[in-house]
Amino acid sequence: MTTQLTEEDTSIHEHIHDYIGELRQRAEGIEILEPGTGTTRYSHDAATAKTAASSGNPGPAVVLPTTAAEVQAAVKLAAELGVTVVPRGAGTGLSGGATAHMDQIVISTEKLTRIVEVSPLDEVAVVEPGVINADLNRHLEPFGLFYAPDPASFDISSIGGNIATNAGGLRCAKYGVTRESVLSLDVVLPNGSLITVGHRSIKGVTGLDLTSLFVGSEGILGIVTKATVRLRPIPVARKTVTAFFNSTAEGAEGLAAITLSPVRPAAIEFFDTPSLANIDAHSGTALRERGAALILIEIDGYGIGDQAAHLATALSAAGGRVTVESDDDAVQLWELRRSGRGLPQDKWYIGEDIAVPKSQLPKVYAAFPALEARFGVEISAVSHAGDGNLHPLITKDKTPDDGANPPASLTDAATELVKVALSLGGTVTGEHGVGTIKREWAALELSERSRDVQHAIKAAIDPQQLLNPGKAI
Amino acid sequence: MTTQLTEEDTSIHEHIHDYIGELRQRAEGIEILEPGTGTTRYSHDAATAKTAASSGNPGPAVVLPTTAAEVQAAVKLAAELGVTVVPRGAGTGLSGGATAHMDQIVISTEKLTRIVEVSPLDEVAVVEPGVINADLNRHLEPFGLFYAPDPASFDISSIGGNIATNAGGLRCAKYGVTRESVLSLDVVLPNGSLITVGHRSIKGVTGLDLTSLFVGSEGILGIVTKATVRLRPIPVARKTVTAFFNSTAEGAEGLAAITLSPVRPAAIEFFDTPSLANIDAHSGTALRERGAALILIEIDGYGIGDQAAHLATALSAAGGRVTVESDDDAVQLWELRRSGRGLPQDKWYIGEDIAVPKSQLPKVYAAFPALEARFGVEISAVSHAGDGNLHPLITKDKTPDDGANPPASLTDAATELVKVALSLGGTVTGEHGVGTIKREWAALELSERSRDVQHAIKAAIDPQQLLNPGKAI
């Protein structure tokens, strides 16, 4: 969908002022930003930032609790006054899930930043939601442990936001997405009460799995105030293996060689020809000299030499030119992958997040040329190939005739691409979430019955429809 | 709790006869067992089998669908007539979750046994719920793949039942429980409609995670008619390592050495002194000659020699006598673990399923002697130590004065043991489910608010309370 905002309501609402006044009385010392006092950025997330910045929107009221009790007080009052609430993490989302309007209040967890505990013997950390993903991992390193989910935004995104979106990342090919690393949550419900779901024990099947339900619920069911997450030992070794191919199609087909091998790498990233060219153009690298498509692999753990040898055999047989990279080259390659270099600053662009069953990746890449011709756009994609999750980038040159928003051909091409993913048994969002931006697409994916069940669950937990209305489902 | 059944209603109900007659008309050829025609075993699961066998209960009406459409027809009619439904897999559950009464109908998925598809390139299998766990793995072996969740009952339990209970097993220390291996489900809802939840793609975050909600829901939300499950490559190597210790306490403390090492074994099973003695007594082995406690480990994958060496170093430092077992000895040791040999046929016994954070395992074992003295029972436990899940066996000698049911001291001891687990941050059921037997304990574990949320979700999906009433929550 487009990143276009509807016409903005920029007035400051009376009932929001009432809410702020009352909350200040009830929760002494609670930090509140009044609408328009530097709150513009809270009206949007990373998906809509550009458009919003130029909208003149003063921004909503923002509550910045530092304790779970303050979150409870803020939510409870909102329920009493019927004010709708937008929960917010670090605001790095890419689906508009934290978009807020002037008649709403934002409750941001950015100041709940305590790492409460690290237990090497239980292999868990207890953290507040505002802890930045990378900060947690820096904190864990001396313990010889790491927290596996690593969205590309890990340097700036928070654990709370990662939980709300069930964030993926590069290493989930081996270690699973955020859901697989969350054991227990403290959650403030829409009525302001606080519940603990899940267990510090790794296993536990008492009752329905509310933990999994809250993970990925995009702020529509509750606000997480504490999380017990699973940790893993830092692997004894890590090594980067590359395989360059002569074409996007050959490289995409080559991925099957990894699947059919006994090696399960920590990360498997696939770059098509235009993605490599983009990186070279913006970073001064010469990846295109090495080939027209790249599978970038991180293996880790024991027997790293055998793992590399088995991969080399499998990928060479598939036509790849395989290299075990030096540590320095490995650092550079992963930095290029993570930094998003190659984003076209001078073009219109939309970044997408489709996922398909692994075997269908080549068919998605093969569908690009026809879409490019039909819509007059260019499409490239880097993929988390280990779990079939593509991030297509659809671009179009800017022209003097363009308006403030991307041309319709761009969003039309994105919609068709999403339909390709669905026709191959895939999904409209692999790891970013539905938010506001992918709601129409979600309706293409989910049956009416499935949506009915989801709405029934939402109504059961949030009968007033107070939390993040208009998002996710 | 006890395995005691309340007084049985053994009459055949008129409304059940009406149901059967009408269903035969609507779904031509559907297989139905009328109450009392060999249906006694359908009134109970493995937890209550012994008591039920002697109860004279004729057994409920049983529908044996062979297609999803037949499941839908059976459920839809039940909804129309207000007949409550007990969904049933292979009946191997250990919590009374499939217990059925004469005024209910059982819908068994035991004849939905198709392995619809195996896709090595997508690393998934599509199976019907009646497929036996071990049959699936036999089918997968020629593909070089396996389905990881391996409850001890894998030779007789079905995938559908495994999903309903979110079954664990030995290998979930490394590969996760059933939930981590289920990608998508077809589910017949309480109103008879069928929905597909989840994706064949490994990743996907569109809407609420209904797949995780149905997994482990013990038949109270829907009946699974098809599942897409994740597969993994059979590891390049497997090896069994044992560490014997001089006491239960030393062995339990020794487990920390594994956690603090970088090795993550596929399975870590811990046997205390009486468990080893039990096995020796029943199997003619001489494990007690090797030590008074045993950590039995399976490592797999690459670098198996390095893994074994690191484990040996760590466990030796903790006081263990470490052996890398021959393949023949390994087979025997795992067979002893899995077969449950050591169950006391001549005593009263209760088997439990508590789980605690890993670091707390030694404290649970340390609590046994006081409970034994207080209640006049004997307690031993084998544990899935890799994820803190103990299976305590509480026993008591039979006396001529005993009645038909286990003495209260046995169940009282079990209740106290459960309280110990809860006080250590654990749970009343690690992998067996709540069913009927653990409902009172679940109330000790879950807060009233958490139960309210669970009941609200149940009511949202099953407003008539038709599916498996009185179970799980």
Side-chain angles (χ1 to χ4, degrees):
Chain A
M1 294 288 100
T2 77
T3 54
Q4 187 174 347
L5 293 179
T6 52
E7 202 171 317
E8 283 293 332
D9 164 18
T10 59
S11 62
I12 296 177
H13 289 246
E14 194 59 38
H15 74 284
I16 297 296
H17 267 296
D18 294 347
Y19 173 90
I20 293 172
E22 178 68 22
L23 184 59
R24 286 205 166 116
Q25 290 207 340
R26 287 198 193 182
E28 209 182 330
I30 193 169
E31 187 174 357
I32 305 172
L33 305 178
E34 301 206 16
T37 60
T39 59
T40 299
R41 69 187 183 90
Y42 290 94
S43 67
H44 53 79
D45 68 9
T48 56
K50 276 194 186 174
T51 317
S54 58
S55 72
N57 186 318
V62 181
V63 183
L64 294 162
T66 57
T67 65
E70 286 187 347
V71 176
Q72 288 188 263
V75 173
K76 189 161 183 292
L77 180 61
E80 284 175 33
L81 301 184
V83 178
T84 60
V85 172
V86 176
R88 183 183 178 92
T92 61
L94 292 169
S95 297
T99 306
H101 298 289
M102 295 298 291
D103 62 346
Q104 301 180 307
I105 59 148
V106 171
I107 299 181
S108 168
T109 57
E110 71 198 89
K111 301 213 166 174
L112 285 157
T113 55
R114 282 170 285 253
I115 296 173
V116 179
E117 186 195 352
V118 175
S119 167
L121 284 178
D122 285 339
E123 286 184 277
V124 303
V126 180
V127 299
E128 292 185 333
V131 172
I132 299 299
N133 184 305
D135 289 344
L136 175 59
N137 271 314
R138 271 187 286 272
H139 187 83
L140 293 172
E141 209 175 330
F143 296 94
L145 296 166
F146 75 110
Y147 171 68
D150 61 340
S153 61
F154 72 106
D155 260 336
I156 49 171
S157 65
S158 65
I159 300 296
N162 293 173
I163 290 170
T165 55
N166 188 21
L170 276 59
R171 289 189 298 226
C172 42
K174 180 168 185 172
Y175 296 105
V177 294
T178 299
R179 178 169 293 110
E180 272 88 74
S181 284
V182 177
L183 294 175
S184 172
L185 296 172
D186 279 6
V187 182
V188 175
L189 296 176
N191 63 6
S193 65
L194 187 139
I195 62 169
T196 298
V197 297
H199 320 84
R200 186 177 169 118
S201 60
I202 290 168
K203 277 158 95 176
V205 293
T206 310
L208 301 173
D209 183 3
L210 299 182
T211 312
S212 291
L213 187 64
F214 283 112
V215 174
S217 64
E218 301 192 39
I220 70 168
L221 299 181
I223 302 181
V224 171
T225 58
K226 201 163 76 177
T228 302
V229 297
R230 241 187 128 151
L231 308 176
R232 295 160 201 281
I234 293 174
V236 290
R238 284 179 173 141
K239 211 72 189 166
T240 294
V241 177
T242 56
F244 281 91
F245 291 81
N246 288 332
S247 70
T248 297
E250 265 187 40
E253 293 287 350
L255 290 162
I258 305 174
T259 303
L260 297 177
S261 85
V263 185
R264 283 301 164 273
I268 308 168
E269 298 292 309
F270 178 66
F271 302 71
D272 63 359
T273 307
S275 295
L276 292 178
N278 260 336
I279 292 173
D280 283 346
H282 291 81
S283 305
T285 48
L287 297 173
R288 280 290 281 110
E289 289 176 15
R290 295 180 70 184
L294 165 62
I295 306 177
L296 174 63
I297 300 164
E298 183 177 273
I299 49 178
D300 68 5
Y302 284 90
I304 208 96
D306 284 348
Q307 291 189 50
H310 286 185
L311 277 182
T313 303
L315 287 165
S316 299
R321 294 180 292 284
V322 180
T323 308
V324 178
E325 302 285 336
S326 72
D327 290 348
D328 285 350
D329 288 344
V331 168
Q332 192 204 10
L333 285 163
W334 289 107
E335 203 273 328
L336 289 170
R337 168 63 192 90
R338 285 186 179 279
S339 65
R341 272 181 214 166
L343 270 190
Q345 301 306 324
D346 51 343
K347 293 182 178 186
W348 294 113
Y349 68 89
I350 298 181
E352 284 311 329
D353 173 41
I354 54 179
V356 293
K358 291 206 285 188
S359 67
Q360 305 298 313
L361 266 176
K363 289 188 193 157
V364 181
Y365 281 98
F368 290 175
L371 294 174
E372 289 178 319
R374 177 170 162 200
F375 294 101
V377 297
E378 291 175 328
I379 309 179
S380 63
V382 180
S383 297
H384 304 312
D387 32 35
N389 185 194
L390 300 94
H391 290 310
L393 188 67
I394 310 173
T395 61
K396 195 179 173 80
D397 287 330
K398 289 189 176 175
T399 73
D401 299 336
D402 293 337
N405 288 308
S409 55
L410 213 61
T411 53
D412 291 348
T415 299
E416 285 307 306
L417 191 54
V418 159
K419 289 181 182 170
V420 168
L422 293 177
S423 74
L424 296 170
T427 172
V428 306
T429 175
E431 60 182 11
H432 292 171
V434 171
T436 49
I437 292 178
K438 298 193 175 70
R439 287 186 80 203
E440 285 180 43
W441 291 342
L444 298 176
E445 177 175 338
L446 301 173
S447 69
E448 195 180 327
R449 281 180 196 139
S450 172
R451 278 178 284 144
D452 284 350
V453 172
Q454 304 200 27
H455 284 290
I457 293 170
K458 163 72 170 171
I461 297 178
D462 184 13
Q464 288 181 271
Q465 303 284 331
L466 284 172
L467 279 190
N468 226 9
K471 312 288 171 60
I473 63 172
Chain B
M1 295 288 99
T2 76
T3 55
Q4 187 173 350
L5 291 180
T6 52
E7 201 170 317
E8 282 293 332
D9 165 18
T10 59
S11 63
I12 295 180
H13 290 246
E14 194 60 37
H15 74 285
I16 297 294
H17 266 298
D18 292 347
Y19 173 90
I20 293 171
E22 178 67 23
L23 185 59
R24 284 205 167 118
Q25 290 209 340
R26 287 198 194 182
E28 210 182 330
I30 193 168
E31 188 174 356
I32 305 172
L33 304 178
E34 301 207 15
T37 60
T39 60
T40 299
R41 70 187 183 88
Y42 290 94
S43 66
H44 52 79
D45 67 9
T48 56
K50 277 194 183 172
T51 316
S54 58
S55 71
N57 186 319
V62 181
V63 183
L64 295 161
T66 56
T67 64
E70 286 186 346
V71 176
Q72 287 188 263
V75 174
K76 190 162 183 292
L77 180 61
E80 283 176 32
L81 300 184
V83 178
T84 59
V85 172
V86 176
R88 184 182 176 92
T92 61
L94 292 169
S95 297
T99 307
H101 299 289
M102 295 298 291
D103 63 347
Q104 301 180 308
I105 59 148
V106 170
I107 299 182
S108 167
T109 56
E110 70 197 87
K111 301 214 165 173
L112 285 158
T113 55
R114 280 170 286 253
I115 297 174
V116 180
E117 185 194 352
V118 175
S119 167
L121 284 178
D122 285 338
E123 286 183 277
V124 303
V126 180
V127 300
E128 291 186 334
V131 173
I132 300 299
N133 184 306
D135 289 343
L136 175 59
N137 271 315
R138 272 188 284 271
H139 187 84
L140 293 171
E141 210 176 328
F143 296 95
L145 296 166
F146 76 109
Y147 172 69
D150 61 340
S153 61
F154 72 104
D155 260 336
I156 50 172
S157 65
S158 64
I159 300 295
N162 293 172
I163 290 171
T165 54
N166 189 20
L170 276 59
R171 290 189 297 228
C172 42
K174 180 168 186 172
Y175 297 105
V177 292
T178 299
R179 179 169 291 110
E180 272 87 74
S181 284
V182 177
L183 294 175
S184 173
L185 295 172
D186 279 6
V187 183
V188 174
L189 296 177
N191 64 7
S193 65
L194 187 140
I195 62 168
T196 299
V197 297
H199 320 83
R200 184 177 170 119
S201 60
I202 291 169
K203 278 159 94 177
V205 292
T206 310
L208 301 174
D209 183 3
L210 299 182
T211 311
S212 292
L213 185 66
F214 284 111
V215 175
S217 64
E218 300 192 42
I220 69 168
L221 299 181
I223 301 180
V224 170
T225 57
K226 202 164 76 179
T228 303
V229 297
R230 242 186 128 153
L231 308 177
R232 295 162 201 281
I234 293 173
V236 290
R238 284 179 172 141
K239 211 74 188 165
T240 293
V241 177
T242 55
F244 281 90
F245 291 81
N246 288 333
S247 71
T248 297
E250 266 187 40
E253 294 287 350
L255 290 162
I258 305 174
T259 303
L260 297 177
S261 84
V263 184
R264 283 300 165 270
I268 308 168
E269 299 292 310
F270 178 67
F271 302 72
D272 63 0
T273 308
S275 296
L276 292 178
N278 260 337
I279 291 173
D280 283 345
H282 290 81
S283 306
T285 48
L287 297 173
R288 280 290 282 107
E289 289 177 16
R290 297 180 68 184
L294 164 62
I295 307 177
L296 175 64
I297 300 165
E298 182 178 273
I299 48 177
D300 68 5
Y302 284 92
I304 208 96
D306 284 348
Q307 291 188 51
H310 287 185
L311 277 182
T313 304
L315 286 165
S316 300
R321 294 181 292 283
V322 180
T323 308
V324 178
E325 301 287 336
S326 73
D327 289 348
D328 284 349
D329 288 344
V331 167
Q332 191 203 12
L333 285 162
W334 289 107
E335 202 274 327
L336 289 170
R337 169 63 191 90
R338 286 187 179 277
S339 65
R341 272 183 214 163
L343 270 191
Q345 302 305 325
D346 52 342
K347 293 182 178 186
W348 293 112
Y349 68 89
I350 297 183
E352 284 310 329
D353 173 43
I354 53 178
V356 293
K358 291 205 286 189
S359 67
Q360 305 299 314
L361 266 176
K363 289 187 194 158
V364 181
Y365 282 99
F368 290 176
L371 294 174
E372 290 177 320
R374 179 170 162 198
F375 294 101
V377 297
E378 292 176 328
I379 309 179
S380 63
V382 181
S383 299
H384 305 311
D387 33 38
N389 184 194
L390 300 93
H391 290 309
L393 187 68
I394 310 173
T395 61
K396 195 179 173 80
D397 288 330
K398 290 188 175 174
T399 75
D401 300 335
D402 293 338
N405 288 307
S409 57
L410 212 61
T411 53
D412 291 348
T415 299
E416 285 307 306
L417 191 55
V418 158
K419 287 180 183 171
V420 169
L422 293 177
S423 74
L424 296 170
T427 173
V428 305
T429 174
E431 58 182 13
H432 291 173
V434 172
T436 49
I437 293 177
K438 297 191 175 73
R439 287 187 80 204
E440 283 178 45
W441 292 343
L444 298 176
E445 175 175 339
L446 301 173
S447 69
E448 195 182 326
R449 282 179 195 140
S450 172
R451 278 179 283 143
D452 285 348
V453 172
Q454 302 199 29
H455 284 290
I457 292 170
K458 163 73 170 171
I461 296 178
D462 184 13
Q464 288 181 271
Q465 304 285 332
L466 284 172
L467 279 190
N468 226 9
K471 314 288 172 61
I473 62 171

